[in-house]
Structure formats: C-alpha cells, structure tokens
Amino acid sequence: IIEIIKGDITKIEVDAIVNAANKTLLGGGGVDGAIHKAGGPEILKECKKLKGCETGEAKITTAGRLKAKYVIHTVGPIYRGGNNEESKLLYNAYYNSIKLGDKYNVKSIAFPAISTGIYGYPKEEASSIAIKAVKGYLEVNTNIEKVIFVLFSEKDFMLYEKQLGLT
Ligand code: AR6
C-alpha cells in the first residue's frame, strides 16, 4: 500500500494530497505555497471559511485546478528542541490527515514530509514518525488503497527507502 516518489506533490495523481500548512490555513511558502499556486484561488477561498487549524489537526478542501479531488490541510509542529510534544503532534498530523481522507472515501493519498522544511523537524525522526502513523492507521479499518510519500529531494527519498527497508 505504501509507495515513495521523488518529486513535486502538486503533480501527483491521487484522490487527496496533504498540505503542510500553518495554523491560519491562509497560505505560506514551501509545499503550502506550491499547492496554492498550482491549485489556484479556489483553495484559498475555501480555506478562509475554515477558521484555521490547530497543530496536529487536519481540515479538507477541494483541490482547484489540481488533479487531486481534495487537499487535506494539516499543521505540523514547529520543532523547538524536541521536548514540546513535537513527536506526538507530528504523529497526529499524519494520523488525522489519513483519517479525514478515509472519511471522505479517498482511496489514494499523498503526503509531503510535514514539518521538515521551514518548521525544522529533524528529517530522520520525522520520517520514522510519518511511517509509524500511516502504518498505525492502515492497521485499523480502512478503505484506503494507496499512500504515497512524496519526497522533494534525492536525500529525503533515500531516507524513506532506508526507513521502509526498500534498499
Ligand atoms: N512537493 C513535495 N514536497 C515539497 C514541495 C513540493 N512541491 N515543496 C517543498 N517540499 P515546508 P513545514 C518539501 O517548509 O516544514 C509554509 O510556509 C520540503 O522540501 O513546505 O511543515 C507553511 O505555510 C520539505 O521536505 O513545510 C507553514 O508556515 C517538506 O516539503 C510552514 O511552511 C515540508 O517543508 C510549514 O513548514
């Protein structure tokens, strides 16, 4: 069920892509900026009605011009040394995103490496939490058939390959 791809998440053909947003849900840089740019103004219009999102939670909109049907907006933790519940909040961001997708009957979902850019979460620990959260969810009742981790760099791709035992 789990796949990894190196590339740009806005180009992936899945039912839902996950956005690494901030609490305002009103856009930003990184993958968030790329998703709003590629998807067009419809996504922001819907985001404005959602009144933000707490860290570790997830909310859903349609996907504008993107190939996906939905964008699931989640907010990962800002990394502040590791003693501020960062690992739990990152786990929740993945878990609540896939759970929300499942509720919307999404069959395929793509994740970026949440919190590992501007929010500074160490990549190795973040990748193991991402995998643990997704596997943890897939063990319960689910209609989800495919989960894709989309990694933006070769280095990140290789890290996930290692963590998933694909090398
Ligand atoms: N496709 C896939 N992955 C990408 C793409 C893309 N098009 N662009 C960047 N990444 P970040 P965060 C990778 O900074 O750390 C925004 O301003 C990137 O290399 O996008 O959760 C929000 O509004 C990195 O590995 O998200 C928030 O304020 C990963 O996506 C803040 O950034 C996440 O990096 C959230 O920070």
Side-chain angles (χ1 to χ4, degrees):
I1 297 190
I2 297 177
E3 286 178 27
I4 53 176
I5 289 179
K6 178 178 161 292
D8 177 351
I9 200 165
T10 64
K11 307 263 162 64
I12 307 291
E13 291 190 42
V14 281
D15 291 340
I17 65 170
V18 176
N19 181 18
N22 59 66
K23 292 210 267 184
T24 70
L25 298 187
L26 298 178
V31 71
D32 193 7
I35 288 171
H36 281 283
K37 189 168 172 220
E42 178 59 31
I43 300 175
L44 184 60
K45 204 174 136 196
E46 288 180 47
C47 279
K48 284 179 178 162
K49 296 178 190 154
L50 297 174
K51 299 190 164 61
C53 182
E54 289 304 317
T55 306
E57 301 295 320
K59 294 197 175 175
I60 193 164
T61 65
T62 58
R65 296 193 294 256
L66 296 173
K67 283 178 182 141
K69 289 193 200 109
Y70 301 107
V71 176
I72 294 171
H73 306 265
T74 190
V75 183
I78 299 170
Y79 194 79
R80 294 194 177 95
N83 292 320
N84 301 284
E85 302 200 302
E86 289 97 332
S87 59
K88 186 181 131 204
L89 293 167
L90 187 61
Y91 185 98
N92 290 350
Y94 280 94
Y95 196 92
N96 288 324
S97 295
I98 193 170
K99 187 175 163 194
L100 184 58
D102 205 6
K103 188 174 153 197
Y104 277 76
N105 216 18
V106 155
K107 298 280 178 274
S108 53
I109 182 168
F111 282 97
I114 300 164
S115 283
T116 68
I118 294 162
Y119 281 0
Y121 207 114
K123 286 173 182 260
E124 183 146 356
E125 188 188 324
S127 66
S128 94
I129 291 168
I131 291 164
K132 196 161 68 167
V134 163
K135 283 188 174 170
Y137 186 79
L138 294 174
E139 277 166 16
V140 305
N141 252 348
T142 176
N143 293 315
I144 288 179
E145 291 164 5
K146 186 153 75 172
V147 179
I148 307 177
F149 290 112
V150 183
L151 293 321
F152 209 44
S153 70
E154 182 69 22
K155 207 173 156 205
D156 289 351
F157 181 83
M158 285 164 67
L159 176 61
Y160 273 72
E161 255 186 338
K162 191 182 94 184
Q163 298 276 16
L164 287 163
L166 302 174
T167 51

